[in-house]
Amino acid sequence: MSNSKKHIFQLTMVSQNDPQCADGADLFGKVTSCTGGTLSASSLKAKETVSLPIPPNPDNPKPATSPTWFLELDGSIDKASFSVIISGPKGYTSTKITIDGSNMESWVTQNEKEKTNQIYKESSCGIFGFAQKNVSASGTYWIYTITAGVSYPVVHPPNA
């Protein structure tokens, strides 16, 4: 980038671990590739399989650290992407997802009107995503969170 502000595409993956999702506590994520920038030194590495954390329980209220990747953009968010795989134990069907940065602006704009998600897997152990944007004096963060282990996720709002 030509200015000193950082422009980051941030990806985080977690498991909601809904009771109906038998594999919710045993899900994994892996970034298989990313384009349009360079993963920062503070980022997790690509092609590394990580366990997806679940919400804390009353016996252990401290949440686990959520795996996060920080892609320092070479240019516009429109040229960036993350490709990931969500997997689980034997018998779980892996799901490949590409988060195309060219969708981020429209997803964020929709979220400013009414919170809206994207569905990647509709099942008892489904997957959805949610886009946000944080603009500060230091730069712009395009933030995308993938949540797996969701019992039959639906698009919110239903007519989006």
Side-chain angles (χ1 to χ4, degrees):
M1 308 240 79
S2 59
N3 60 30
S4 62
K5 290 186 177 189
K6 288 189 176 184
H7 300 278
I8 306 289
F9 190 4
Q10 174 183 325
L11 172 67
T12 300
M13 290 191 269
V14 297
S15 173
Q16 189 164 298
N17 194 29
D18 280 346
Q20 300 85 346
C21 178
D23 299 323
D26 300 312
L27 297 177
F28 300 90
K30 176 168 63 171
V31 170
T32 57
S33 67
C34 51
T35 62
T38 305
L39 288 174
S40 74
S42 62
S43 178
L44 288 175
K45 294 178 173 58
K47 300 188 180 183
E48 178 180 331
T49 301
V50 296
S51 180
L52 300 187
I54 61 174
N57 64 49
D59 297 332
N60 184 13
K62 184 178 180 193
T65 302
S66 298
T68 303
W69 294 262
F70 300 95
L71 186 66
E72 295 180 7
L73 298 179
D74 291 337
S76 166
I77 185 66
D78 292 342
K79 307 265 188 234
S81 70
F82 280 103
S83 292
V84 305
I85 294 176
I86 305 294
S87 61
K90 186 175 183 174
Y92 182 90
T93 303
S94 295
T95 302
K96 294 179 182 180
I97 301 168
T98 297
I99 300 95
D100 190 336
S102 65
N103 293 319
M104 289 295 288
E105 188 71 52
S106 63
W107 289 340
V108 168
T109 299
Q110 176 62 35
N111 286 339
E112 290 170 353
K113 295 176 196 166
E114 185 170 17
K115 301 297 182 203
T116 307
N117 58 13
Q118 297 76 47
I119 304 297
Y120 295 105
K121 182 177 181 183
E122 294 179 5
S123 75
S124 62
C125 202
I127 303 168
F128 73 86
F130 188 77
Q132 301 173 47
K133 180 179 173 182
N134 183 17
V135 179
S136 70
S138 62
T140 302
Y141 278 76
W142 297 92
I143 303 163
Y144 200 81
T145 303
I146 294 174
T147 304
V150 180
S151 179
Y152 297 101
V154 295
V155 172
H156 291 286
N159 296 324

